[in-house]
Amino acid sequence: VVDLEGAGEGGAQEGRKLQEIVFVIQSQSNSFHSKRAEDLERSILKQAEELGKELPRVLLIHQMDKHDGAWTILPLMQDFSVSYGRNSSWIFLCEEDTRIQIVKLLETLRRFDKSKEWFLGKALYDEESTIIHHYAFAENPTVFKFPDFAAGWALSIPLVNKLANKLKSEPLKSDFTIDLKHEIALYIWQKGNGPHLTPVPEFCTDDLNSYKAVHCATMFNNFLPVCVNPVKKEDIFVAVKTCRKFHRDRIPIVKQTWEGEAALVEYYSDYAETSIPTIDLGVPNTERGHCGKTFAILERFLNHSSSKTPWLVIVDDDTLISIFRLRKLLSCYDPNEPVFLGERYGYGLGTGGYSYITGGGGMVFSREAIQKLLASKCQCYSNDAPDDMVLGMCFSALGIPITHCPLFHQARPMDYPKDYLAHQIPISFHKHWNIDPVKVYFTWLAPKMEDSFTEKQQRRIREDL
């Protein structure tokens, strides 16, 4: 949150304008992510100082997390309304890797009448209806626009106050949070009774070094983070969940694509087939859920694997994943912390509920997280319970936060807007339905020349901020 006053007469007007903007960073409590959010906070402070303004206060969502659902934003509207509804004009939200040019942002917001209801952002849309949006607007999905959080997005205070009042009288009822940016846009739109997203060209996801940057109020660090050397192949154990009926269809795809990137891979099935080979965990196959199988994998990893491998990745047999990129990403996380990483979904977050990592995109565990989980005796209520949701409940009960990474994907590339994927270096996709999975892997996930973007280059960019 930024509350700024002008320093000196020359800066007074700009100071008052800045004072009207509340900046909110969509941060996470994991040490790697909280540090990145604090880096952005320092960038905002530094810009304000150079402009001769009073130093801003910056609000990080993980620090105001009164419950597990703060990341879904809407539950915070009443807090925003009470704290800032009378003395501010805008709530501006962004991700930890968004970069803000404050002067340009002020110029941009000045174009909009702050007394009206505005929902501003970089517009995304579906080119075809998709399961992750429950096939919304199936006749013409391009008509509905939703914000790319990476570019930053803004709500005028009159809209915030309206949303807060609505939430007070009608608490959130949605069971699942699957794609937050789309669901927030739907909620604000109110079936045509609320504002549509207004596209703002100055809200950008171009890289900091792009020639377009001079025209942008916001930009985005669109490279894969590498903090130290990539973790060794031997430090990641990959468990593939499969069953007998998919041995012939799906396992050959894994072997043609990403298996060679991994040093330690085991296939867990309801039938031991030596030619693959698969391991029968003694848990009968279920049509859905697979909780019994997943917990058996966790127990085997912790107590029966010969090495003390720090990381476990559990994937489905139709998950396409880049272990090469995952090794880079995991260099940013401390395996001595309880880390549970992947694409975050939510269940019942408007009424308590919990977050969870959706399984199809891949679930990454540090050994420490598994030790704490199994020591807690939290377990499946049935073999066919949804494993990812049970894990979410268990970690929530333990007070271990889910760590979200948007580079993991529960669906196929065509299920996401092209503009959204354009600023990502993806780590996984899921499902073989109506696609050539081998082609998808080599198009989106196979190691490429640009994956050799060096740590030195990244460090130089960070130092320039």
Side-chain angles (χ1 to χ4, degrees):
V1 174
V2 177
D3 295 328
L4 290 167
E5 294 188 17
E9 289 187 23
Q13 185 179 3
E14 290 299 324
R16 282 194 295 275
K17 293 291 183 186
L18 262 178
Q19 193 176 16
E20 294 175 8
I21 306 174
V22 178
F23 288 82
V24 181
I25 302 174
Q26 294 170 249
S27 59
Q28 301 188 70
S29 60
N30 174 274
S31 59
F32 165 59
H33 292 280
S34 61
K35 180 185 179 301
R36 283 165 92 83
E38 287 157 10
D39 287 345
L40 176 53
E41 177 184 15
R42 275 191 290 274
S43 170
I44 294 169
L45 292 169
K46 184 181 176 188
Q47 289 183 67
E49 196 171 31
E50 289 172 352
L51 289 168
K53 308 293 183 286
E54 286 191 15
L55 294 181
R57 296 193 322 249
V58 180
L59 189 73
L60 278 58
I61 275 189
H62 80 273
Q63 293 175 349
M64 61 182 297
D65 196 350
K66 296 175 183 173
H67 54 83
D68 197 28
W71 65 270
T72 63
I73 309 297
L74 289 173
L76 301 176
M77 287 299 152
Q78 286 169 276
D79 289 345
F80 292 155
S81 179
V82 168
S83 300
Y84 307 106
R86 297 180 178 215
N87 58 8
S88 302
S89 301
W90 298 96
I91 301 286
F92 180 84
L93 302 101
C94 65
E95 295 188 347
E96 64 195 29
D97 287 325
T98 309
R99 291 295 169 257
I100 305 166
Q101 300 197 80
I102 285 183
V103 171
K104 189 74 175 173
L105 180 64
L106 286 168
E107 291 172 8
T108 302
L109 291 178
R110 204 175 288 139
R111 297 206 310 268
F112 300 93
D113 182 349
K114 63 188 181 184
S115 68
K116 294 187 164 57
E117 293 177 9
W118 289 107
F119 175 27
L120 309 176
K122 177 188 173 184
L124 298 173
Y125 59 88
D126 293 328
E127 295 192 15
E128 53 188 74
S129 62
T130 171
I131 188 172
I132 60 172
H133 297 152
H134 308 291
Y135 301 107
F137 305 95
E139 289 181 8
N140 183 7
T142 64
V143 299
F144 186 73
K145 308 295 193 290
F146 49 99
D148 190 334
F149 289 165
W153 52 296
L155 304 173
S156 63
I157 287 297
L159 178 57
V160 170
N161 291 337
K162 177 183 173 183
L163 293 171
N165 287 331
K166 181 171 178 58
L167 287 160
K168 196 183 297 182
S169 59
E170 295 175 41
L172 290 167
K173 298 187 182 74
S174 175
D175 285 341
F176 287 94
T177 303
I178 291 175
D179 185 6
L180 181 64
K181 55 192 178 294
H182 190 269
E183 288 152 28
I184 283 178
L186 272 179
Y187 188 86
I188 291 172
W189 179 59
Q190 292 292 328
K191 297 183 178 175
N193 295 316
H196 280 281
L197 178 73
T198 298
V200 177
E202 291 86 355
F203 289 0
C204 310
T205 51
D206 298 292
D207 192 78
L208 303 178
N209 293 331
S210 165
Y211 69 91
K212 298 177 184 174
V214 68
H215 305 293
C216 293
T218 63
M219 290 154 292
F220 189 68
N221 276 344
N222 54 16
F223 51 75
L224 186 71
V226 184
C227 296
V228 290
N229 291 329
V231 304
K232 297 174 183 172
K233 277 187 180 185
E234 297 75 22
D235 285 344
I236 301 175
F237 188 99
V238 188
V240 182
K241 292 187 302 181
T242 188
C243 63
R244 188 173 187 175
K245 70 177 179 178
F246 293 133
H247 287 187
R248 291 287 161 268
D249 295 340
R250 296 183 178 178
I251 301 304
I253 302 296
V254 176
K255 291 183 177 291
Q256 288 175 62
T257 55
W258 60 263
E259 186 196 65
E261 294 180 42
L264 304 170
V265 186
E266 285 188 349
Y267 296 87
Y268 298 107
S269 181
D270 54 342
Y271 176 72
E273 187 165 334
T274 54
S275 62
I276 292 175
T278 57
I279 295 164
D280 181 0
L281 291 168
V283 178
N285 189 54
T286 55
E287 285 298 311
R288 61 187 65 82
H290 311 295
C291 194
K293 182 184 289 183
T294 296
F295 271 71
I297 291 169
L298 295 172
E299 197 273 335
R300 178 184 171 92
F301 173 80
L302 195 61
N303 298 320
H304 301 291
S305 55
S306 54
S307 65
K308 294 295 180 188
T309 313
W311 296 104
L312 171 68
V313 184
I314 299 181
V315 295
D316 292 348
D317 51 10
D318 58 348
T319 300
L320 299 166
I321 190 165
S322 171
I323 301 299
F324 180 81
R325 293 177 187 169
L326 180 61
R327 288 170 52 210
K328 292 186 173 189
L329 180 69
L330 289 183
S331 74
C332 297
Y333 295 91
D334 182 353
N336 296 312
E337 292 181 16
V339 178
F340 184 33
L341 171 72
E343 184 181 12
R344 177 179 54 194
Y345 280 10
Y347 178 73
L349 287 172
T351 54
Y354 54 88
S355 303
Y356 64 97
I357 297 298
T358 180
M363 299 184 285
V364 182
F365 306 78
S366 65
R367 181 173 286 271
E368 178 69 15
I370 297 171
Q371 285 174 334
K372 289 187 180 299
L373 173 71
L374 296 185
S376 75
K377 307 298 183 190
C378 191
Q379 57 191 354
C380 307
Y381 50 85
S382 66
N383 278 338
D384 67 350
D387 56 354
D388 47 8
M389 296 181 73
V390 171
L391 287 165
M393 278 190 282
C394 291
F395 281 117
S396 177
L398 285 166
I400 295 172
I402 301 301
T403 301
H404 172 65
C405 176
L407 307 180
F408 295 79
H409 301 89
Q410 172 67 17
R412 310 162 302 162
M414 60 280 302
D415 291 313
Y416 302 90
K418 286 178 181 173
D419 264 4
Y420 176 68
L421 294 181
H423 58 74
Q424 289 194 347
I425 299 176
I427 284 173
S428 70
F429 291 104
H430 180 226
K431 298 285 188 198
H432 294 173
W433 181 66
N434 273 4
I435 61 168
D436 176 348
V438 176
K439 184 178 179 183
V440 166
Y441 170 79
F442 282 103
T443 301
W444 290 95
L445 298 168
K448 297 182 178 70
M449 191 66 74
E450 60 266 27
D451 286 330
S452 300
F453 196 59
T454 66
E455 183 191 357
K456 185 187 290 186
Q457 288 171 296
Q458 291 196 31
R459 191 182 294 123
R460 192 185 72 238
I461 288 173
R462 287 199 293 270
E463 287 169 355
D464 288 344
L465 296 180

